[in-house]
Amino acid sequence: MPRRTRKNASAGYTMIELIIVVSLLMVVLVPILMTLLRANTGSNDLRKNTEARATTRQAVDTLIRDFRQAQTRVQGMSHVAEVSPTSITYYSPDKTVISPTDIGFYKLRRITYQIVGTTLTRQVTTSTNQSPPWTFPTTAAPTVVVAPNLRPYSATAASRSYFRAFTGAGTDVTSAPSMVGQVERLFVHIEVNALKRPSAVQIFEDTVEMRSEPIQ
């Protein structure tokens, strides 16, 4: 019986066969890769949102804590220096005890929060003495970004006013500089958009009462 030989045993795959195999692999792999890409994007978005929320929450909590204990202990010196929809400056004690002789005394901090573009900044200048009359350095302290990725302020939308100050009777004095000495309450409204998408906006709102009575 004649022996059957294999024709073109070393010829390998043809180009058409390779194209078919690659096409089939692409059909299978592309959906998998797209799923992994979406999962990675979702994970990054979640991380950005989480970081933005934590950073902004910490900044707002610090602002509120300092404003709640705002005081000057000086007759005729307002606890709040100035306020606008995008900035506020007030005085709050720094009760850090450095030595036993510091007990009962503290330095005064002039604290400014301001919206600059899409960031919330904080500047703290501490007095050089521990009792009135207060003296502050001629050179202001550096300004630090405490919350990035904010939604820009809009003067045409009342809900987008970041800071609104009120008297004890509830009068809004945000745009009344002559009444800043009567401020007892502060409304804070911060909008964060870490993903730069309207659907991703996160809103932080708080109202804080000043513990000290205004000094007239």
Side-chain angles (χ1 to χ4, degrees), residues 152-209:
Y153 168 70
S154 172
T156 60
S159 64
R160 298 276 289 280
S161 296
Y162 286 99
F163 305 112
R164 295 176 64 189
F166 299 87
T167 65
T171 303
D172 189 340
V173 298
T174 306
S175 301
S178 62
M179 299 180 67
V180 72
Q182 301 178 40
V183 172
E184 295 186 37
R185 184 185 310 128
L186 180 68
F187 173 73
V188 181
H189 175 99
I190 302 291
E191 297 184 10
V192 183
N193 192 4
L195 303 181
K196 312 303 180 189
R197 297 198 301 261
S199 60
V201 174
Q202 302 176 69
I203 298 176
F204 295 84
E205 287 186 345
D206 274 294
T207 300
V208 55
E209 298 277 351

Side-chain angles (χ1 to χ4, degrees), residues 83-161:
V83 63
S84 74
T86 58
S87 67
I88 182 169
T89 299
Y90 54 93
Y91 299 97
S92 187
D94 180 3
K95 296 185 178 179
T96 303
V97 176
I98 301 175
S99 67
T101 58
D102 290 327
I103 297 177
F105 296 89
Y106 60 81
K107 292 184 177 182
L108 194 67
R109 296 173 297 165
R110 184 174 63 224
I111 304 173
T112 298
Y113 281 89
Q114 185 175 12
I115 304 296
V116 180
T118 59
T119 62
L120 175 63
T121 65
R122 183 175 189 254
Q123 182 186 59
V124 181
T125 303
T126 305
S127 67
T128 57
N129 56 344
Q130 293 182 308
S131 61
W134 303 108
T135 59
F136 291 89
T138 55
T139 302
T143 299
V144 179
V145 173
V146 292
N149 303 312
L150 301 190
R151 193 176 181 186
Y153 168 70
S154 172
T156 60
S159 64
R160 298 276 289 280
S161 296

Side-chain angles (χ1 to χ4, degrees), residues 8-136:
N8 298 327
S10 61
Y13 296 103
T14 66
M15 182 61 69
I16 294 177
E17 290 173 330
L18 288 175
I19 292 175
I20 293 174
V21 170
V22 170
S23 299
L24 292 175
L25 287 175
M26 292 296 292
V27 171
V28 174
L29 293 178
V30 167
I32 296 176
L33 293 175
M34 292 300 295
T35 300
L36 293 175
L37 181 61
R38 283 194 294 268
N40 184 62
T41 301
S43 176
N44 288 337
D45 289 350
L46 178 61
R47 176 181 55 79
K48 289 180 181 178
N49 263 335
T50 302
E51 290 177 353
R53 181 183 293 274
T55 300
T56 306
R57 182 74 270 170
Q58 181 179 3
V60 172
D61 286 347
T62 301
L63 186 159
I64 287 175
R65 183 183 66 246
D66 291 339
F67 184 86
R68 181 176 287 117
Q69 61 183 13
Q71 58 178 288
T72 60
R73 289 178 17 192
V74 178
Q75 190 70 27
M77 183 179 180
S78 172
H79 302 333
V80 178
E82 58 183 27
V83 63
S84 74
T86 58
S87 67
I88 182 169
T89 299
Y90 54 93
Y91 299 97
S92 187
D94 180 3
K95 296 185 178 179
T96 303
V97 176
I98 301 175
S99 67
T101 58
D102 290 327
I103 297 177
F105 296 89
Y106 60 81
K107 292 184 177 182
L108 194 67
R109 296 173 297 165
R110 184 174 63 224
I111 304 173
T112 298
Y113 281 89
Q114 185 175 12
I115 304 296
V116 180
T118 59
T119 62
L120 175 63
T121 65
R122 183 175 189 254
Q123 182 186 59
V124 181
T125 303
T126 305
S127 67
T128 57
N129 56 344
Q130 293 182 308
S131 61
W134 303 108
T135 59
F136 291 89

